[in-house]
Amino acid sequence: MFITQEQIQLFERDGFLVLEDLVSQEACNVLRHRASEIVETFDPSESVSIFTTNEQTRFSDRYFVESGDKIRCFFEEEAFEENGELKQPKELSINKIGHAMHDLDPVFDNFSRTPELAEIAKDVGFKDPRILQSMFIFKQPHIGGEVVCHQDATFLHTEPLSVKGFWFALEDATQENGCMWAIPGGHRSPVKSRFFRSESGEGTEMEIFDDTPWEESKLVPLEVKAGTMVVLHGLLPHMSFANRSARTRHAYTMHLIEGTADYPEWNWLQRSPEMPLRGF
Ligand code: FE2
């Protein structure tokens, strides 16, 4: 066991677990550097795609829907002036890179697959963990957009439900630069909505099961130092406010699912049969 029985109890109680100093500062910097290289080679005219958790913005966005087995860059929603020019340099305009760096990029692969992470996955209940997706999140200065309160199980569905997030702070995350917030114990409520691939295969849709708002007064800030990993239960309500500060809030996140669970074809994220999911 890498984590203690007490930590497992905390995870079961709160729906999240903060593990400080899990990753070295150097490993954080290596990943940040690799992300900047990916952005450097990215040609914005490839696609102008904007990522927010707001379903309308994503709707019919093929660039997004086809990114499950690729490495693609997505702009911040507020990246552009009305005339279509970028407000800030390209490297300060990307919201995130997704969604298969852990399989396609050796630097991300190295970061994502370590004996410690494999052990933690087992400790939090996985029998046969598979890394379903990876995202490098920039949360850019001034324009880093809000991510509204959501459960990851809305976006990544298995039967039975099994998704968990491994979220890494690559820089100190504070309320000032848009740290994550979560509702402790909120993972005991069922999934409130389902994000799915349209039958045409080109867009996405949202089905709402329960439209009562989250009790946002119960949100607590997860202010953490670089090198901290937060394990997130798939049903945990979490969000982050916009980053209006002058500094970035770089983070890396992976979502794991149980290999034996059923993965419906209507999930937005689909991979080519030549790229089956792998574990650690
Ligand atoms: Fe999330």
Side-chain angles (χ1 to χ4, degrees):
M1 298 260 303
F2 187 86
I3 56 178
T4 64
Q5 204 57 47
E6 195 181 22
Q7 286 174 312
I8 290 170
Q9 281 166 7
L10 281 177
F11 179 65
E12 284 168 359
R13 187 193 71 185
D14 295 335
F16 63 87
L17 179 65
V18 177
L19 300 169
E20 290 175 350
D21 295 319
L22 194 83
V23 181
S24 72
Q25 190 65 58
E26 198 205 334
C28 293
N29 291 341
V30 166
L31 207 67
R32 294 177 64 210
H33 178 72
R34 181 64 194 132
S36 73
E37 287 178 341
I38 292 171
V39 169
E40 213 169 293
T41 59
F42 166 63
D43 174 5
S45 69
E46 237 175 66
S47 164
V48 173
S49 176
I50 293 165
F51 178 86
T52 70
T53 5
N54 180 322
E55 62 277 14
Q56 284 92 344
T57 318
R58 279 188 185 167
F59 193 81
S60 293
D61 189 341
R62 287 186 62 179
Y63 184 74
F64 170 74
V65 157
E66 292 169 358
S67 67
D69 52 8
K70 298 181 183 69
I71 299 177
R72 289 188 165 176
C73 296
F74 300 85
F75 281 105
E76 291 280 2
E77 196 171 2
E78 297 177 31
F80 297 94
E81 304 279 9
E82 270 178 34
N83 64 9
E85 296 287 310
L86 284 174
K87 286 182 193 166
Q88 305 184 162
K90 182 180 72 172
E91 61 272 19
L92 293 174
S93 300
I94 303 297
N95 169 288
K96 68 167 191 173
I97 310 172
H99 289 92
M101 297 88 78
H102 62 289
D103 283 333
L104 296 172
D105 184 273
V107 176
F108 277 88
D109 183 16
N110 268 338
F111 186 98
S112 306
R113 293 188 164 93
T114 65
E116 290 81 21
L117 296 179
E119 195 61 48
I120 293 168
K122 292 269 160 77
D123 292 350
V124 296
F126 283 102
K127 292 187 172 62
D128 179 17
R130 305 288 171 89
I131 309 176
L132 175 59
Q133 72 165 22
S134 50
M135 296 189 283
F136 188 100
I137 299 158
F138 291 87
K139 205 84 178 174
Q140 300 285 6
H142 310 298
I143 59 167
E146 175 176 343
V147 176
V148 297
C149 200
H150 66 281
Q151 297 163 303
D152 290 337
T154 287
F155 299 95
L156 302 169
H157 188 88
T158 64
E159 284 157 16
L161 187 145
S162 66
V163 64
K164 289 185 177 73
F166 280 8
W167 183 96
F168 302 84
L170 303 176
E171 296 184 287
D172 295 353
T174 65
Q175 292 188 49
E176 194 209 358
N177 68 351
C179 69
M180 202 158 38
W181 293 65
I183 300 177
H187 64 300
R188 283 188 285 270
S189 37
V191 69
K192 285 178 116 164
S193 55
R194 176 178 79 100
F195 183 79
F196 62 101
R197 186 178 276 243
S198 307
E199 274 179 32
S200 68
E202 296 199 350
T204 56
E205 294 171 56
M206 187 74 90
E207 181 183 9
I208 310 286
F209 306 127
D210 173 359
D211 64 359
T212 57
W214 293 110
E215 289 182 278
E216 298 203 352
S217 62
K218 292 186 175 167
L219 284 162
V220 299
L222 303 181
E223 294 190 292
V224 294
K225 292 261 177 245
T228 300
M229 180 173 98
V230 184
V231 185
L232 300 161
H233 190 281
L235 289 172
L236 181 76
H238 61 286
M239 57 90 63
S240 63
F241 292 101
N243 178 12
R244 299 299 177 205
S245 81
R247 59 193 185 93
T248 52
R249 196 225 65 190
H250 289 176
Y252 175 62
T253 180
M254 301 196 285
H255 287 91
L256 314 183
I257 57 170
E258 189 63 74
T260 53
D262 184 42
Y263 188 76
E265 279 176 12
W266 51 257
N267 270 300
W268 82 265
L269 192 161
Q270 296 295 335
R271 293 170 41 128
S272 132
E274 287 85 64
M275 261 180 73
L277 294 179
R278 294 193 288 124
F280 292 89

